[in-house]
Amino acid sequence: DPCLLVTASPKYSRPATMTHPFPALTTEQKKELSGIAQRIVEKGKGILAADESVGTMGNRLKRINVENTEENRRFFRDILFSVDPSISENIGGVIFFHETLYQKSKNGKLFPELIKEKGIVVGIKVDKGVAALTGTDGETTTQGLDGLAERCAQYKKDGADFAKWRCVLKITDAAPSSLAIQENANVLARYASICQQNGLVPIVEPEILPDGDHDLQRCQYATEKVLAAVYKALNDHHVYLEGTL
């Protein structure tokens, strides 16, 4: 049967592989980021979140009648980080709180050094908490983009190789709203881009709270909408996905 063959003029033809005209990362940066990410999530390994804020630590210590002082928080973390090196068989990364990153063990060794000696990757919480989105059903966005590049650069020098940033969304009859979804997606993407520029692997965490009387189908629908928006934003901001968690 006859068929119509359409060919493009060489004048308008494009290469098979399109590259961005302004690369966000060098090949070396991508290699470092993907290598860090792979180390953290090696088979059988997970992440230990030890990034509780001063207030959250206070709640934990209160349960055992211990005063919430810097020394007591340091002592608690010292017990946690000074355990047998075999924990590296199951823990690939530990997330630190700012205060903890600069504290030392009873032997005078900085906690990041203690963790790295066990073959575990050091991470750092970099967000500044949530703030209200006016005109919504109690929804929030996350603060901390101001000065983030400088903080990430310093954390990298001080031993961190990955970062955590938490955005919180909830499910109600009016939430998650389009405003909350788009705002948090773009905040996460901007954070991820800044982290990668400074050698930190970003954990991209849009936490969708399960609280409420909705069913599983409603939760799935909301989760899919949020994740679709987040990964669209990551792509728009030229975030290297292989260098994220």
Side-chain angles (χ1 to χ4, degrees):
D1 294 333
C3 64
L4 177 64
L5 178 63
V6 179
T7 60
S9 167
K11 179 180 178 181
Y12 299 105
S13 63
R14 295 183 177 182
T17 303
M18 294 296 293
T19 57
H20 191 266
F22 309 106
L25 299 167
T26 65
T27 302
E28 291 73 21
Q29 286 176 307
K30 289 181 177 180
K31 184 177 180 180
E32 181 191 16
L33 290 167
S34 61
I36 293 169
Q38 288 300 317
R39 282 180 57 204
I40 296 170
V41 295
E42 284 180 10
K43 186 176 181 180
K45 294 187 178 184
I47 297 173
L48 172 65
D51 61 326
E52 299 95 337
S53 65
V54 173
T56 301
M57 275 300 301
N59 294 333
R60 293 195 174 186
L61 295 174
K62 185 177 180 181
R63 296 175 194 166
I64 54 174
N65 298 316
V66 173
E67 186 181 359
N68 185 19
T69 64
E70 182 179 355
E71 173 54 26
N72 285 337
R73 292 191 297 273
R74 187 210 63 77
F75 184 71
F76 175 89
R77 296 275 171 50
D78 196 10
I79 295 173
L80 194 63
F81 299 151
S82 299
V83 296
D84 192 274
S86 62
I87 63 166
S88 63
E89 296 174 9
N90 300 106
I91 295 178
V94 175
I95 307 172
F96 281 63
F97 185 62
H98 177 86
E99 175 186 76
T100 315
L101 194 70
Y102 301 101
Q103 290 178 326
K104 297 179 179 180
S105 70
K106 63 181 179 181
N107 297 323
K109 184 168 293 186
L110 284 165
F111 284 147
E113 295 177 17
L114 199 63
I115 290 298
K116 286 192 170 189
E117 285 179 355
K118 292 178 169 62
I120 299 172
V121 184
V122 173
I124 181 70
K125 176 183 177 181
V126 296
D127 71 75
K128 296 289 186 179
V130 299
L133 278 176
T134 305
T136 65
D137 184 19
E139 294 179 286
T140 61
T141 185
T142 302
Q143 305 175 103
L145 290 178
D146 288 349
L148 180 60
E150 292 78 12
R151 286 187 284 125
C152 284
Q154 188 61 53
Y155 286 142
K156 181 71 175 181
K157 290 179 182 178
D158 295 335
D161 284 310
F162 72 101
K164 171 192 171 182
W165 177 291
R166 177 173 173 259
C167 281
V168 184
L169 297 105
K170 65 178 187 175
I171 301 174
T172 68
D173 290 341
S177 65
S178 295
L179 172 62
I181 291 173
Q182 294 303 320
E183 164 64 16
N184 283 288
N186 280 298
V187 164
L188 282 167
R190 186 75 187 113
Y191 138 78
S193 176
I194 293 170
C195 282
Q196 290 191 336
Q197 291 296 323
N198 289 280
L200 299 180
V201 169
I203 296 179
V204 180
E205 185 181 357
E207 181 178 357
I208 304 166
L209 301 177
D211 307 7
D213 57 5
H214 54 275
D215 59 16
L216 184 60
Q217 187 174 10
R218 174 81 173 97
C219 184
Q220 178 182 342
Y221 175 75
T223 301
E224 289 175 354
K225 285 196 70 173
V226 170
L227 289 178
V230 167
Y231 279 90
K232 170 64 164 59
L234 291 173
N235 183 65
D236 288 345
H237 285 259
H238 313 295
V239 172
Y240 177 56
L241 295 184
E242 291 86 343
T244 66
L245 294 174

